[in-house]
Amino acid sequence: MSDLQDQAIRQHCKVLRMPTMGSQFSRLAETAIREKQSHLGYLEALLAAEMEERESRAITRLLHDAKLPRMKTLEAFEFDRSGVSAAQLRGLAEGDYVARAEPVLLIGEAGTGKSHLATGLCVAACRQRRRVRFTTATGLINELAEAAHANQLSRALGRWERLDLICIDELGYVPLAETACELMFQVIADRAEKAAVIVTTNLPFSEWPQVIPNPRLCKALIDRLTDRAHIITTGADSYRFRRTTAQRKAAKP
């Protein structure tokens, strides 16, 4: 292949926005010659490389937009150290609950792996090319309160409503003012039976009135979140504490 032809192909790929084909056509051509592939075989390999790279870039972009606090996957969760069903979480990771707009509630004490599991489900959804957003309950409320102050609440609510999956972490750690509860309720009510939501909380439902003082609003929120929900209890024994203890024992001579 002449240098002029090489440059022309690269330019065509640049104009057509096919950067992977532009960077790999020469290498794959050498492979095709060596393995005696047909013209169609070479073309298929070239297109497959472009598609694979586009898929990878799309997932990377979705993971970035999800604003995950840390990159944690279900594959990295030590189910044998917890009381959570690996089969249930792996089944959820397949994404049917997102398609059916079913809530997922993770309930347990601090350190029992709720946030890790929720993050893992968010990562799985991003890998399926779904639009995801992770936030804490406080972070969500602060964002909506700022939008309301700037007369942009409707626009902010619209952004949350358009997402395929949202995760609200740490609900129940801080008591919420009634206005804050109303803002969060709007987000959850807008998604009821239309889009999926994951919520992690350290409180059983009987104790939610401690952080949501309006009894009617509290009842309505629980009603929306538990309708057709997957409710997973992570227990009371700290997963992080047990893991740290095991690591220390293993490190002893």
Side-chain angles (χ1 to χ4, degrees), residues 128-142:
Q128 295 158 4
R129 302 287 293 270
R130 290 185 163 111
R131 295 166 301 170
V132 178
R133 176 73 188 277
F134 186 105
T135 184
T136 62
T138 302
L140 172 62
I141 289 165
N142 288 342

Side-chain angles (χ1 to χ4, degrees), residues 76-97:
F77 190 80
E78 297 176 352
F79 286 98
D80 56 339
R81 295 181 183 273
S82 74
V84 180
S85 167
Q88 183 180 15
L89 266 296
R90 287 167 185 158
L92 286 172
E94 293 177 2
D96 288 345
Y97 77 98

Side-chain angles (χ1 to χ4, degrees), residues 59-129:
I59 292 172
T60 298
R61 185 170 60 252
L62 288 167
L63 287 168
H64 175 268
D65 293 344
K67 301 185 184 299
L68 302 172
R70 288 166 295 278
M71 181 58 65
K72 292 190 175 183
T73 65
L74 293 181
E75 292 86 350
F77 190 80
E78 297 176 352
F79 286 98
D80 56 339
R81 295 181 183 273
S82 74
V84 180
S85 167
Q88 183 180 15
L89 266 296
R90 287 167 185 158
L92 286 172
E94 293 177 2
D96 288 345
Y97 77 98
V98 181
R100 294 193 295 260
E102 296 168 346
V104 175
L105 301 181
L106 293 157
I107 305 173
E109 294 292 342
T112 56
K114 302 184 302 297
S115 296
H116 186 150
L117 293 170
T119 303
L121 289 175
C122 289
V123 170
C126 288
R127 289 171 176 171
Q128 295 158 4
R129 302 287 293 270

Side-chain angles (χ1 to χ4, degrees), residues 144 157 177-187 212 214 217:
L144 295 176
L157 290 171
E178 185 164 343
T179 302
C181 295
E182 291 172 354
L183 290 171
M184 185 167 60
F185 178 76
Q186 286 187 67
V187 172
I212 304 175
N214 185 319
L217 189 59

